[in-house]
Amino acid sequence: MDNFIFENPTKIIFGKGQIARISKEIPAGAKVLITYGGGSAKRTGVLDEVKAALEGYELTEFGGIEPNPSYETLMKAIELVHKNQIDFLLAVGGGSVIDGTKFIAAGAVYEGDPWEILLRRGRGINKALPLGVVLTLPAAGSESNPRAVISRKSMNAKLSFYSTAVFPRFAVLDPTKTYTLPKQQISNGVVDAFMHVFEQYLTVPMEARLQDRFAEGILHTLIELGPVALEDPENYDVRANLMLCATMALNGLIAAGVPQDWSTHMVGHELTALYGIEHAATLAALAPAMLTVLKDKKRAKLLQYGERIWGITEGSEEERIAQAIAKTKEFFEIMQMKTNLRDHGLTPDNIPEILDSLRAHDMVRLGEHQDVTPEVVRQALELCF
Ligand code: NZQ
Ligand code: ZN
């Protein structure tokens, strides 16, 4: 296990009816900007519930933050922050709204063009307005981490930044607010959380026995309850467990002291930027192929994953690894996800431009060994059709 510092300042306020207590978390007299997406927050009544809980505060609203939040939209919010002298941000939505709000928080106090925050990947960004979250879609884990992924349509770019300045002060996780999610978003959330665990767990043995078991606990719970949520979406205990899984999958805990991969995510971001494929859908389509191409480097952890998660103990190592990858693909399909790129309308003719896009964003030495090159990615992409 490597040395590490684990610090996560986000206060998690979990459970039914907890939106009512957000005024305890926001300084009295604050000028609050409530941010939300395309309309679900309004339609589901969450926005009204938030505004009722903030009775007496000076409130400004900014809606329209799109899935895969764009610089172009968010710059309008930054203007509003300056105009109304906003000093607290409250994101009401899923990963896109939260990420967009993190960008607004840092961009509003950044000297220069806020797009530089992305180009610097957040390096040197240590100031941001305070922000809180009311989570309505458990998936990205953005509600309790220091990252955000921002697109710039004019450049066909989707890049991430990391800065502890954008850790949410608090996050309300009320499972009942996820009941209105379309099934596809329930599936997206389960698969995104599953792949977050993979990116931090399926690397190399590190004698990180507790982190491994935390990670395996999240995987077991997602496998056990993901399909149930599709059948019984208003089962509170199921939705509560899945909501907590998504948060714990990317709050830094299972990453402590171990190397991280993220190559599947980085390729996935290019697919979203180029073709508009939803984030989790890119991961489900790519993962089986990426695991196949990288199986020798991930041999020990793939065998451990296969045994501890799927009970695979028979056969040669090759057979067990192939079975573990097949079970993963099967689980994604049970979650109604497409597990190849052909079903997203792509063909092998798209491979060159995907690799060019990776090179354009300097994504050329990915993975826990920084050895996932565009050539390695090409081999994986060829298996996705
Ligand atoms: O836009 P609205 O109207 O709100 O509708 C949204 C959106 O259309 C809808 N929705 C959200 N909550 C709902 C709801 N519909 C009904 N009922 C509710 N309770 O769901 C749609 C998708 O929302 P979105 O926020 O885009 O989904 P998700 O939470 O999966 O976030 C995806 C974004 O997270 C980023 C991805 O790149 C992508 O941009 N990620 C952020 C990470 C991070 N900050 O750590 C890591 C992740 O790997 C990921 O990259
Ligand atoms: Zn993700």
Side-chain angles (χ1 to χ4, degrees), residues 140 192 196 262 265 279 283:
D192 196 17
H196 294 156
W262 295 106
H265 262 75
H279 173 61
L283 307 176

Side-chain angles (χ1 to χ4, degrees), residues 50-159:
V50 165
K51 285 158 65 175
L54 294 178
E55 178 86 25
Y57 283 85
E58 193 178 322
L59 301 179
T60 304
E61 292 178 34
F62 183 83
I65 298 179
E66 62 274 79
N68 305 301
S70 77
Y71 166 83
E72 288 86 353
T73 300
L74 300 168
M75 287 303 286
K76 294 182 195 131
I78 289 176
E79 265 174 54
L80 194 56
V81 164
H82 294 150
K83 183 166 154 277
N84 292 14
Q85 296 166 324
I86 299 295
D87 50 24
F88 200 96
L89 305 173
L90 181 65
V92 180
S96 291
V97 174
I98 303 166
D99 283 6
T101 306
K102 288 178 176 176
F103 177 75
I104 297 164
V109 297
Y110 182 74
E111 310 283 325
D113 178 356
W115 184 246
E116 291 168 13
I117 296 170
L118 278 302
L119 298 178
R120 298 163 62 163
R121 300 290 191 273
R123 277 185 294 276
I125 301 301
N126 42 38
K127 271 192 309 175
L129 291 177
L131 70 126
V133 171
V134 172
L135 182 67
T136 65
L137 196 174
S142 188
E143 62 277 12
S144 72
N145 77 29
R147 327 160 169 236
V149 186
I150 305 298
S151 299
R152 188 162 184 175
K153 292 177 189 148
S154 63
M155 298 178 174
N156 254 348
K158 181 177 170 78
L159 301 177

Side-chain angles (χ1 to χ4, degrees), residues 259-261 263 297 363-374 376:
Q260 300 182 52
D261 182 350
S263 55
K297 297 188 164 90
M363 298 286 167
V364 292
R365 303 195 65 74
L366 300 171
E368 63 271 24
H369 307 295
Q370 292 81 53
D371 60 356
V372 178
T373 60
V376 174

